[in-house]
Amino acid sequence: MESSILCTELYLRLGDDEILVIDCRAPTEWEHHDLHIPGALRMSPSEVARDHRMLPDDELIVLCGGTHDGSDVSRVCRLLRMHGREAVCLDGGLSAWIRGGYPTERRGRAQVAMPR
């Protein structure tokens, strides 16, 4: 069983300088659902694997999507822990966060200037 954090606990710690939320949902999931946890860093699992050394020395809280059994987020957390990082999975992922009524942000969209 992977270490996890409940949405309530993350909410109480949101804004803490010593945690970083990493949103590892696939690009298609971001296109379909562009809400995210405030301050979350968007990285694909392959980017996490490649760039884990560049992440700050914070506790890492990982959420994914894609698999109903949570195996995707478990793989990312295990990978980070194999490299000596403190990483936990968000219990229930973004769906549980939204169902719980916790704050979200919408991905910024480029604004198009209308011709005059």
Side-chain angles (χ1 to χ4, degrees):
M1 183 77 175
E2 295 298 320
S3 298
S4 63
I5 185 172
L6 298 173
C7 293
T8 304
E9 186 179 348
L10 175 57
Y11 176 70
L12 294 173
R13 296 185 62 200
L14 210 57
D16 182 340
D17 289 340
E18 297 179 9
I19 65 166
L20 175 64
V21 177
I22 302 175
D23 189 332
C24 294
R25 290 179 291 148
T28 54
E29 293 176 277
W30 271 79
E31 291 169 12
H32 175 70
H33 203 303
D34 66 351
L35 293 177
H36 62 92
I37 295 173
L41 175 64
R42 179 181 175 194
M43 290 181 80
S44 70
S46 60
E47 289 171 323
V48 171
R50 183 188 67 220
D51 299 329
H52 63 87
R53 289 178 189 89
M54 298 173 69
L55 294 170
D57 191 27
D58 295 337
E59 177 183 353
L60 304 173
I61 299 168
V62 180
L63 66 109
C64 294
T67 62
H68 298 294
D69 64 358
S71 61
D72 52 355
V73 72
S74 295
R75 279 192 301 272
V76 174
C77 283
R78 274 195 307 272
L79 168 81
L80 288 164
R81 285 196 298 276
M82 283 177 18
H83 290 287
R85 302 306 306 270
E86 187 178 344
V88 297
C89 307
L90 179 61
D91 189 32
L94 185 63
S95 298
W97 183 267
I98 292 170
R99 277 193 315 273
Y102 297 104
T104 57
E105 293 177 337
R106 196 165 292 281
R107 177 182 55 184
R109 296 178 190 259
Q111 294 191 1
V112 179
M114 300 300 286
R116 294 182 186 217

